[in-house]
Amino acid sequence: MSVSKQNTVSNESRRQFLKQSGLATGGLVLGISLPQTTIAGFKMGEDSTFNPNAFIHIDDNGDTLIYCGRCEMGQGISTALPAAVADELEADWTRVSIKQGEGNEEKYGSQATGGSASIRTMYIPMREAGAAAKVMLVAAAAKVWGVPTQECMADNHFVINKNNQQKLGYGELASLAANESVPTSVTLKEKKDYKYIGKDIARHNQGDIVVGKLTYGVDTKMPGLKYAAMTHCPVMGGKLKSVDKTAAMQVKGVIDVIEIPRFEVPFGSLGGVAVVADNTWTAQQALKKLKIEWDLGEHQNYDTKAYKAQLVKNVESPAQLAAERGDITKAFAQAEHVMKATYTGGHLSHSPMEPNASVVWVQKDSCEVWAATQSPGDIQKVLAQYLKREPKDIWVNVTMAGGAFGRKFKCDYVHEAAVLSQAVNAPVQLTWSREEDMRTGYYHSINAQHIEAAVDKDGNVTGWLHRAAFPAIASLFDPSLDRAPANNLGDVDNHPFGIANYRSETGEAKAHTRIGWYRAVYAIFYGFAFGSAADELAHQTKKDTVSLLNSIYDNNKNAEQAEQVARSKAALAMAAEKSNWGDRSKLPSNQGLGIAVHFSFNTYVAMAVRVEVNGDDIKVLEVDAVVDCGQVLNTDSATAQMEGAVVMGMSLSLRTEVVFREGAVVNSNFHDYPVLRINEMPQVNVHFMENDYKPTGLGEPGLGPFAPALANAVFAASGKRYRDLPFKPMAI
């Protein structure tokens, strides 16, 4: 596989780059420029410009350092991508170390880590950098031996002379290789030759994680550090009317009580009151002593039970056209059978195990941040607007994130720490309590979807109407929106089902709280609706669900979707095979098997779920997850991603839901937002499709098919059909 290049330069001196990065002064460095995916190489100490998005540094002692510009939050990206570099480099993995890149989009390109996009966008460029470094090392060794490069080969951190088996280590060659020209094209390895790609590789920082050495956002410490706790108006858009600070200021260790006004930029603070103290516990306890009166504003009557009922009305009536093809009116008029169903779901909280935390030190001529974040670039933009400085002047140290799921794209908790640091003229660590994040965070969209399907006399699905109503993420940027934009139904409109007559509509759904990206985003409720409707349609027409799905896929004659159809069907077939779908009638009478398949984030996932139902008790026994994400980089991390999707899928399917009454969130912690416990974990079997496609998304696609597969399994076991997520919400 060959890739052509054009070398580029940028506005940062190489010497300054090395100085800032703390690198040694000898060896070989290669940088990757995105999105152009160009490679730039240089000799250490050279004073021309250099602008890598990620880079490899091979020191004169052979130690190899790889920077990762994307943010690590447990998904394993900081191991998977560097391992791909090391594979092409023919490096000894034990000689490789990895460093998290600081927040710098000029240097690393976009560092926003989400949308299951990191591997998809970085896989080839990172491999190319490794291959280029190898070419330069081989060229240097060939000159030492006075032989053609074709007579040399790289292997396990050495270049070997094929004629006499002489070896030169990468450390011996690094500075010599720095004088070689950067190749304008490289040949990437074939799949059969991979050493690390597609293998089970332990995370590079696993040891530090196990013994508690790794620094998370909440772990940052420094001399003079002050600690803060924060509270916000419980209703979106509300404002502070008054605060009595007297009792809080009398608590020993309290430094100040500070009012923070709402910052009217995306991801800025909602506004509220903070206590700054000598330690976090003191700040949290003093916060409870504040006497606060809020002006609750226009959303103070928001009630999710009533709102969901209204959404149902909105989708069971004609709504605003999003997309259409064919003649849906004719299809339904000539239908032999029509299936109608409405599916709903509630708000969800991200609830990562590490709550929002950051340290910010604002000084006259500098601002430095330490934060667990998914988007250091957004931190720079927001703080630059607040401090009236340039984004490049905000230095962001990216720490390991103890979970994120989309919440840590938003940097309100960092902005607030900056306000407090500026107010007390000291570095401040702000930690949101679990309760504060649960009650004033960002939430997955509450939603309703209505599907009508027409079936002709031959059993073909000839018409499909899909109405969706949910407050859109776009409402963060345009609060005037009263419904999801038409393009938010793109995953529905472009689904590989082959239905000639189709119409989608978007119903009214104004946002009454902050809506944000949540793992899998809209694929959660789209997958639930598609997968459940297919099973209902199969039952009503007395067909096997797998057969019905295959017939709908087979009716797709769009050549541009042929690959989607084939890969969806293949994943579905494997899920049926691995779960013994054909033998499901042999299960005990209180057990059932459900199946669903969904395409999202360019990945195909089919899940078969086996359950046992006793009255209202639902026990998930086994899950077979089949994944077609193209080339898997690290099988261990990839398997963990699917297992994690099952954990999250079980939680949101069975019981987690954020409830609003009188404008405010009722839930406060895990006792009334109960995520899955370890004793409830089923057997999860993860199967990856073998193919030669490029890697696609993996962190999010597992959620789409789980809920419908579970609902279908419960129906098979009990005859009860759940159309609302969660199935068994808590009475709170």
Side-chain angles (χ1 to χ4, degrees):
M1 176 180 178
S2 296
V3 183
S4 296
K5 304 254 171 268
Q6 287 185 347
N7 296 328
T8 61
V9 293
S10 72
N11 56 12
E12 182 176 2
S13 106
R14 303 176 183 184
R15 181 175 295 164
Q16 181 66 17
F17 180 80
L18 298 174
K19 180 180 177 182
Q20 290 178 351
S21 303
L23 296 179
T25 57
L28 169 67
V29 168
L30 283 186
I32 310 160
S33 291
L34 292 175
Q36 297 89 353
T37 60
T38 57
I39 295 176
F42 63 89
K43 181 178 178 180
M44 286 291 187
E46 194 174 314
D47 198 27
S48 55
T49 56
F50 183 50
N51 183 32
N53 298 122
F55 73 88
I56 309 163
H57 172 221
I58 304 174
D59 202 352
D60 284 334
N61 65 5
D63 290 346
T64 300
L65 174 66
I66 300 174
Y67 269 64
C68 184
R70 293 298 175 109
C71 306
E72 177 62 63
M73 48 191 159
Q75 82 279 38
I77 192 68
S78 63
T79 298
L81 282 175
V85 175
D87 205 329
E88 293 291 348
L89 180 59
E90 297 292 356
D92 177 352
W93 184 244
T94 65
R95 303 293 305 278
V96 175
S97 60
I98 297 158
K99 188 172 181 179
Q100 175 67 55
E102 77 285 358
N104 191 327
E105 292 191 344
E106 287 187 5
K107 183 187 294 183
Y108 297 105
S110 174
Q111 294 175 275
T113 307
S116 296
S118 293
I119 285 176
R120 189 170 74 245
T121 57
M122 297 290 290
Y123 173 65
I124 295 298
M126 294 290 271
R127 287 180 64 195
E128 289 170 351
K134 177 180 66 179
V135 168
M136 296 168 73
L137 290 162
V138 168
K143 285 184 178 178
V144 171
W145 291 319
V147 299
T149 56
Q150 294 86 346
E151 295 179 11
C152 304
M153 61 176 287
D155 183 53
N156 203 39
H157 239 71
F158 288 93
V159 177
I160 302 168
N161 188 327
K162 297 178 184 178
N163 298 314
N164 54 23
Q165 302 305 305
Q166 283 184 301
K167 292 184 177 181
L168 286 171
Y170 280 5
E172 298 173 271
L173 294 167
S175 289
L176 294 174
N179 295 314
E180 295 295 323
S181 298
V182 180
T184 56
S185 65
V186 291
T187 299
L188 301 181
K189 295 169 72 171
E190 295 183 14
K191 187 172 184 174
K192 63 182 178 60
D193 297 321
Y194 292 163
K195 292 182 179 178
Y196 307 130
I197 297 172
K199 305 300 189 291
D200 186 348
I201 300 175
R203 298 178 186 229
H204 72 96
N205 52 8
Q206 184 168 287
D208 288 344
I209 293 174
V210 171
V211 300
K213 286 185 177 180
L214 203 63
T215 299
Y216 291 78
V218 77
D219 295 328
T220 304
K221 299 292 181 286
M222 65 185 62
L225 184 63
K226 308 304 177 187
Y227 300 83
M230 182 83 191
T231 189
H232 309 81
C233 181
V235 178
M236 183 180 77
K239 298 178 181 179
L240 180 67
K241 287 179 68 175
S242 65
V243 56
D244 184 344
K245 310 175 183 179
T246 307
M249 290 298 297
Q250 290 174 353
V251 176
K252 184 180 179 180
V254 169
I255 296 167
D256 202 356
V257 176
I258 299 169
E259 299 175 22
I260 298 180
R262 180 179 178 85
F263 191 42
E264 297 286 353
V265 300
F267 312 152
S269 174
L270 277 173
V273 185
V275 174
V276 181
D278 289 337
N279 59 72
T280 297
W281 175 254
T282 297
Q284 290 175 341
Q285 296 311 301
L287 193 71
K288 298 175 183 177
K289 295 181 179 293
L290 295 174
K291 296 179 181 179
I292 300 175
E293 186 178 2
W294 303 103
D295 177 355
L296 298 179
E298 64 175 304
H299 300 292
Q300 61 183 292
N301 295 318
Y302 182 43
D303 182 288
T304 44
K305 183 177 181 180
Y307 186 77
K308 187 184 286 186
Q310 183 60 52
L311 290 182
V312 170
K313 291 180 180 179
N314 294 350
V315 297
E316 291 184 348
S317 303
Q320 188 177 100
L321 174 67
E324 65 180 340
R325 61 176 178 266
D327 188 341
I328 193 169
T329 302
K330 182 178 179 181
F332 278 96
Q334 297 179 349
E336 186 78 11
H337 176 83
V338 174
M339 187 277 293
K340 297 181 180 182
T342 299
Y343 307 94
T344 54
H347 286 300
L348 297 170
S349 166
H350 303 84
S351 294
M353 291 309 297
E354 178 194 23
N356 302 324
S358 67
V359 170
V360 181
W361 188 194
V362 178
Q363 300 183 68
K364 181 179 179 181
D365 298 318
S366 65
C367 175
E368 190 161 7
V369 175
W370 294 260
T373 177
Q374 291 177 255
S375 184
D378 278 308
I379 292 176
Q380 291 174 306
K381 293 168 189 173
V382 170
L383 293 195
Q385 290 178 75
Y386 168 68
L387 296 170
K388 295 181 172 54
R389 303 179 185 181
E390 293 296 320
K392 63 182 178 60
D393 295 329
I394 312 299
W395 186 271
V396 179
N397 301 285
V398 180
T399 69
M400 175 78 173
F405 310 121
R407 174 60 180 94
K408 290 170 184 171
F409 259 116
K410 301 91 175 175
C411 56
D412 44 354
Y413 59 101
V414 184
H415 165 243
E416 290 165 349
V419 175
L420 299 174
S421 174
Q422 195 173 40
V424 301
N425 193 30
V428 170
Q429 181 183 79
L430 172 63
T431 305
W432 282 30
S433 66
R434 172 74 59 199
E435 290 79 5
E436 195 62 30
D437 189 35
M438 186 78 73
R439 290 173 173 163
T440 59
Y442 293 77
Y443 306 96
H444 175 62
S445 304
I446 189 172
N447 62 90
Q449 295 179 89
H450 180 72
I451 290 178
E452 298 183 12
V455 182
D456 67 13
K457 58 183 177 58
D458 297 321
N460 296 311
V461 181
T462 56
W464 192 279
L465 170 67
H466 192 130
R467 293 195 194 104
F470 55 91
I473 295 168
S475 64
L476 285 175
F477 311 97
D478 181 5
S480 69
L481 283 177
D482 67 350
R483 69 191 68 229
N487 60 11
N488 281 194
L489 275 68
D491 285 352
V492 176
D493 299 334
N494 297 317
H495 196 280
F497 278 180
I499 302 170
N501 307 295
Y502 167 86
R503 180 182 174 95
S504 66
E505 299 174 359
T506 176
E508 184 176 345
K510 184 175 175 59
H512 296 286
T513 187
R514 294 195 295 180
I515 306 299
W517 297 278
Y518 178 99
R519 183 182 186 183
V521 204
Y522 302 152
I524 293 174
F525 49 76
Y526 287 153
F528 182 52
F530 268 119
S532 297
D535 193 73
E536 290 205 51
L537 193 55
H539 176 72
Q540 292 180 21
T541 57
K542 297 180 172 53
K543 291 187 175 182
D544 173 80
T545 304
V546 173
S547 297
L548 176 75
L549 284 167
N550 280 324
S551 69
I552 298 175
Y553 284 126
D554 288 341
N555 283 334
N556 190 334
K557 306 305 179 184
N558 183 350
E560 294 181 358
Q561 289 189 308
E563 181 182 303
Q564 286 179 265
V565 168
R567 295 173 75 177
S568 295
K569 289 183 62 178
L572 180 65
M574 181 178 282
E577 174 193 346
K578 296 296 184 181
S579 64
N580 295 314
W581 176 259
D583 294 330
R584 63 192 183 283
S585 61
K586 299 177 183 178
L587 293 173
S589 59
N590 65 337
Q591 290 189 20
L593 189 64
I595 199 165
V597 59
H598 195 65
F599 169 69
S600 63
F601 300 92
N602 297 315
T603 291
Y604 309 80
V605 180
M607 284 193 177
V609 177
R610 181 166 61 90
V611 301
E612 180 178 283
V613 180
N614 295 297
D616 289 332
D617 181 58
I618 299 171
K619 184 177 182 180
V620 181
L621 302 175
E622 189 171 15
V623 179
D624 281 284
V626 176
V627 186
D628 180 355
C629 60
Q631 174 63 56
V632 176
L633 266 68
N634 186 328
T635 54
D636 178 66
S637 293
T639 299
Q641 289 280 27
M642 282 301 117
E643 293 168 340
V646 169
V647 171
M648 208 166 204
M650 284 184 64
S651 298
L652 67 87
S653 296
L654 293 174
R655 52 179 179 250
T656 56
E657 179 178 20
V658 172
V659 176
F660 283 75
R661 293 196 195 103
E662 296 180 348
V665 173
V666 178
N667 318 67
S668 62
N669 210 314
F670 290 129
H671 69 284
D672 54 14
Y673 189 79
V675 299
L676 188 74
R677 300 300 195 262
I678 189 66
N679 65 314
E680 301 170 288
M681 186 68 187
Q683 172 66 37
V684 179
N685 312 307
V686 182
H687 317 278
F688 293 102
M689 302 288 291
E690 282 289 331
N691 56 50
D692 294 323
Y693 292 110
K694 293 178 181 178
T696 53
L698 189 57
E700 297 172 278
L703 278 185
F706 180 83
L710 175 59
N712 298 341
V714 172
F715 176 77
S718 67
K720 184 172 184 178
R721 180 72 69 178
Y722 286 97
R723 298 188 182 92
D724 182 38
L725 297 177
F727 302 166
K728 302 189 296 179
M730 289 191 69
I732 56 174

